[in-house]
């Protein structure tokens, strides 16, 4: 069912040597590597089909327009949205959150209103809301973290006041690995007529997404976290919301008619895609989603959960190592601190062993504050990693301990 050696052959960069050692790439929560299929799709576009989209009657423009619009359909199917009109191509999760903040929430948010987020959000799902709250004299409210890295959802009924105009939470934490019970959050928010945005930046690559089953109002993700190029991502938003939202960026392609007196906006989704979009990114994204569908997300989930269990067991045997984030329902992210050693030193020593881990606050400073630590070392696994690599990482952690006394 799952031939890991064949999978690894699809990713040419995995053959790289780093400092003379075979590369072990476990920084997948930051960005994933690209399979040959995606590289070929982008290269093929440039070689055979590239032109600007939508505006041209000529052969190449029609060809690239068809590819771009078929990429939208691929995204729609991948997350099971009801219509292609509900898929907006954006730069990534960050831009999608900013779009919702400015186009959806800004016009309806008043002084004293509240936006509910959680303590485990990525800065991308904090700052756009914070900026908007400041502008509107509204307030940011926080669902707190429990010690094991789960959200304290017992407080949700109290936090969902009639002042809350939107809930924005992550599906899966990039620092802790926690998979949140977003269905329950959505259900409780909807019972009070409060819309919900789900940050799917991490979840998109690790388990199947069905936005209709989730019943979320908005879902955002970035292509580069799911083996696609960077600079492309998607916003899913319910058609009813998109129809009433005003675009927050103006420019070419998002209009039907322009005069100096008045502009008539294009229909959805185009009215939210001002300017020439990332055509090659969208086509690369579609290719990545097709690739993942062919491997099968259910097989990927199973394999990654095996890797997670294996790595957790190995790391737990290291004296002085403390796991940060031990929720029962986790994706394949393992953050840890090592007694007496700064994560930056761990990262540097690991790098000399050819191991790419990430050290720092992972754009989640409130999580670091919660645990009263400056940073963690994060091993984020995906389906091209192996148990043998986890053994190498465990040995490298022991080496760090020896070197750092
Ligand atoms: N949300 C989460 C949970 C993330 O992990 C990330 C990136 O690390 C983002 C949002 C932002 O993604 P991007 O920088 O691709 O817009």
């Amino acid at each position: 069912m799952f031939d890991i050696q064949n999978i690894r052959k699809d990713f040419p960069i995995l053959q790289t040597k780093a400092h003379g050692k075979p590369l072990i790439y476990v920084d997948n929560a930051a960005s994933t590597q690209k399979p040959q299929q995606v590289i070929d799709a982008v290269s093929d576009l440039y070689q055979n089909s590239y032109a600007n989209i939508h505006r041209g009657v000529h052969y190449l423009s029609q060809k690239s327009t068809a590819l771009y619009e078929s990429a939208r359909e691929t995204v729609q199917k991948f997350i099971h949205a009801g219509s292609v009109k509900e898929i907006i191509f954006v730069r990534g999760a960050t831009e999608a959150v900013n779009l919702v903040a400015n186009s959806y929430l800004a016009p309806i948010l008043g002084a004293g209103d509240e936006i509910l987020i959680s303590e485990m959000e990525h800065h991308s799902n904090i700052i756009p809301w914070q900026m908007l709250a400041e502008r509107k004299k509204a307030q940011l409210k926080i669902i707190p973290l429990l010690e094991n890295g789960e959200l304290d959802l017992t407080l949700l009924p109290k936090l969902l006041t009639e002042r809350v105009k939107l809930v924005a939470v992550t599906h899966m934490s990039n620092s802790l690995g926690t998979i949140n019970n977003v269905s329950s959050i959505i259900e409780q928010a909807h019972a009070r007529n409060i819309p919900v945005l789900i940050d799917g930046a991490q979840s998109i690559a690790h388990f199947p997404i069905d936005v209709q089953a989730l019943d979320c109002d908005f879902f955002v993700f970035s292509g580069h976290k799911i083996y696609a190029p960077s600079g492309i991502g998607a916003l899913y938003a319910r058609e009813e919301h998109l129809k009433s939202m005003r675009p927050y960026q103006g420019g070419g392609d998002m209009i039907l008619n322009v005069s100096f007196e008045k502009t008539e906006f294009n229909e959805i989704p185009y009215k939210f895609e001002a300017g020439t979009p990332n055509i090659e990114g969208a086509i690369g994204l579609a290719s990545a989603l097709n690739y993942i569908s062919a491997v099968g997300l259910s097989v990927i989930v199973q394999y990654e959960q095996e890797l997670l269990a294996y790595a957790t067991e190995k790391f737990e045997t290291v004296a002085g190592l403390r796991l940060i984030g031990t929720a029962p329902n986790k994706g394949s992210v393992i953050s840890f601190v090592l007694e007496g050693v700064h994560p930056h030193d761990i990262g540097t020593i690991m790098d000399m062993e050819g191991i790419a881990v990430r050290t720092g606050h992972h754009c989640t400073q409130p999580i670091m504050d919660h645990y009263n630590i400056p940073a963690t070392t994060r091993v984020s696994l995906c389906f091209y990693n192996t148990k043998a690599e986890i053994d190498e990482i465990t040995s490298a952690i022991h080496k760090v301990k020896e070197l750092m006394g």
Side-chain angles (χ1 to χ4, degrees), residues 29-30 92-95 122 124 170 172-174 199 201-202 222 224-225:
T94 303
E95 189 178 45
H122 187 279
S124 292
T170 189
M172 173 178 156
S173 162
N174 62 308
D199 174 357
Q202 293 296 328
S222 302
H224 70 97
K225 310 259 193 209

Side-chain angles (χ1 to χ4, degrees), residues 6-67:
N6 267 341
I7 294 281
R8 287 181 66 83
K9 277 189 208 141
D10 287 338
F11 293 81
I13 208 168
L14 297 181
Q15 304 310 314
T16 303
K17 288 214 158 56
H19 307 294
K21 305 269 173 68
L23 172 73
I24 296 180
Y25 186 82
V26 284
D27 192 18
N28 296 293
S31 203
T32 51
Q33 299 300 346
K34 321 304 170 198
Q36 190 63 50
Q37 288 81 343
V38 169
I39 300 167
D40 287 347
V42 175
S43 156
D44 183 64
L45 173 79
Y46 284 143
Q47 289 185 49
N48 300 304
S49 313
Y50 182 82
N52 207 337
I53 56 165
H54 291 154
R55 288 167 283 234
V57 290
H58 63 75
Y59 173 76
L60 281 182
S61 179
Q62 300 225 348
K63 211 170 160 189
S64 63
T65 301
L67 285 168

Side-chain angles (χ1 to χ4, degrees), residues 81-122:
S83 156
V84 279
K85 292 184 194 164
E86 297 179 317
I87 306 298
I88 318 284
F89 281 124
V90 286
R91 267 195 303 131
T94 303
E95 189 178 45
V97 173
N98 279 279
L99 195 162
V100 177
N102 286 286
S103 282
Y104 174 76
L105 197 55
I108 59 169
L109 193 73
D113 282 343
E114 295 171 357
I115 306 163
L116 184 60
I117 62 169
S118 89
E119 201 178 350
M120 69 164 72
E121 298 312 312
H122 187 279

Side-chain angles (χ1 to χ4, degrees), residues 126-355:
I126 301 175
I127 300 161
W129 310 120
Q130 200 171 48
M131 288 165 71
L132 179 62
E134 267 174 32
R135 223 164 82 206
K136 297 283 183 167
K137 300 195 169 31
Q139 269 197 311
L140 211 53
K141 287 289 172 90
I142 314 295
I143 310 170
L145 260 183
L146 295 166
E147 244 359 75
N148 71 351
E150 283 183 293
L151 290 179
D152 189 354
L153 292 183
T154 59
L155 298 176
L156 196 57
K158 256 176 129 180
L159 287 165
L160 288 170
T161 67
E162 78 275 8
R163 292 236 162 246
V164 177
K165 291 290 174 285
L166 183 93
V167 178
V169 283
T170 189
H171 206 170
M172 173 178 156
S173 162
N174 62 308
S175 281
L176 305 167
T178 313
I179 297 170
N180 286 318
N181 186 354
V182 290
S183 295
S184 167
I185 298 174
I186 293 165
E187 201 181 310
Q188 293 183 60
H190 282 181
R192 293 157 177 85
N193 287 323
I194 303 167
V196 182
L197 176 143
I198 300 299
D199 174 357
Q202 293 296 328
S203 61
I204 190 76
H206 299 291
F207 44 94
I209 302 295
D210 183 331
V211 289
Q212 291 183 82
L214 277 176
D215 198 29
C216 55
D217 295 85
F218 305 98
F219 186 93
V220 307
F221 75 91
S222 302
H224 70 97
K225 310 259 193 209
I226 182 159
Y227 317 102
S230 31
I232 187 74
L235 162 68
Y236 157 80
R238 283 196 196 176
E239 197 170 336
E240 75 207 59
H241 292 317
L242 288 176
K243 279 188 170 151
S244 65
M245 283 159 59
R246 252 180 92 80
Y248 85 115
Q249 290 180 348
D253 223 27
M254 50 80 76
I255 51 89
L256 288 178
N257 272 302
V258 181
S259 71
F260 287 120
E261 286 71 41
K262 188 176 180 298
T263 290
E264 199 185 333
F265 299 131
N266 205 339
E267 57 203 29
I268 61 168
Y270 311 110
K271 76 171 174 180
F272 295 104
E273 293 180 4
T276 300
N278 184 349
I279 304 162
E280 49 276 60
I283 285 154
L285 174 59
S287 162
L289 299 183
N290 286 332
Y291 174 83
I292 290 302
S293 298
V295 177
L297 260 170
S298 53
V299 188
I300 289 176
V301 173
Q302 204 183 332
Y303 180 75
E304 288 180 349
Q305 284 295 315
E306 260 178 48
L307 286 185
L308 173 69
Y310 186 77
T312 305
E313 200 185 310
K314 284 268 168 181
F315 292 1
E316 273 175 339
T317 63
V318 180
L321 184 148
R322 179 177 149 223
L323 295 176
I324 304 292
T326 51
N329 196 10
K330 271 186 69 169
S332 49
V333 169
I334 308 168
S335 268
F336 65 87
V337 288
L338 200 52
E339 205 178 342
V341 191
H342 194 280
H344 192 73
D345 293 328
I346 302 176
T348 309
I349 296 169
M350 291 243 188
D351 179 48
M352 294 317 293
E353 299 297 313
I355 302 169

